[in-house]
Amino acid sequence: MISKGLGIEFNTQVMRFLFVGITSTLLYLTVTNSMMFYRLLPTIPASILGYLLGILVSYYGQKNFTFNCSENKNQFIVRFVALSIFGIVANSTIIHLLINCIDINKYISTFFSAATVATINYFILKMWVFK
């Protein structure tokens, strides 16, 4: 166990969260960085598109695999959408700040942003979305 005080246990749920999260993050990074590399979209729109595609993988994976919620409650979807909107805004803001204020490479900034938002997402998914 990492810390009971924070409600974090390094158990099957954490491992499943990491698996789904890594899968959706890899999709996000692949789409985002491909769009930027091939100059199909600027950084922020590419990031939003990648994030939206990652949301689909994340919702079904976290709901059914990580948190094992077989119920079809509308509150899960509403809360997940709210978290996703927060995630898109946070992700875009972090990328913008890293590129424009700290002058970090746009490709590297997507990795930093993805890691930060994923960490926040775990706690919100566990404590609010699928509770």
Side-chain angles (χ1 to χ4, degrees):
M1 285 182 225
I2 295 172
S3 170
K4 280 191 170 187
L6 293 174
I8 306 169
E9 296 180 27
F10 197 74
N11 59 19
T12 304
Q13 188 179 69
V14 172
M15 296 303 291
R16 288 179 178 197
F17 173 81
L18 290 171
F19 177 77
V20 172
I22 289 168
T23 302
S24 64
T25 300
L26 287 174
L27 175 63
Y28 159 76
L29 292 170
T30 300
V31 169
T32 301
N33 290 320
S34 294
M35 292 290 143
M36 291 185 315
F37 182 79
Y38 292 108
R39 295 187 174 134
L40 298 173
L41 288 173
T43 304
I44 298 298
S47 175
I48 291 170
L49 176 63
Y51 199 92
L52 290 172
L53 293 173
I55 286 171
L56 296 174
V57 170
S58 183
Y59 177 76
Y60 289 104
Q62 301 300 4
K63 179 182 179 289
N64 299 316
F65 184 63
T66 303
F67 298 102
N68 201 19
C69 295
S70 57
E71 302 172 30
N72 249 348
K73 292 184 179 179
N74 287 338
Q75 74 182 18
F76 293 152
I77 294 170
V78 170
R79 290 177 180 179
F80 195 85
V81 167
L83 174 61
S84 297
I85 291 168
F86 165 78
I88 289 171
V89 171
N91 190 56
S92 297
T93 301
I94 292 167
I95 289 171
H96 173 78
L97 292 173
L98 290 173
I99 292 170
N100 296 308
C101 297
I102 304 177
D103 198 31
I104 293 178
N105 176 282
K106 65 183 179 183
Y107 297 102
I108 295 171
S109 70
T110 63
F111 286 94
F112 282 126
S113 179
T116 302
V117 172
T119 302
I120 294 167
N121 279 353
Y122 174 76
F123 291 106
I124 296 174
L125 286 166
K126 182 176 177 72
M127 293 186 223
W128 183 58
V129 174
F130 295 119
K131 185 173 181 180

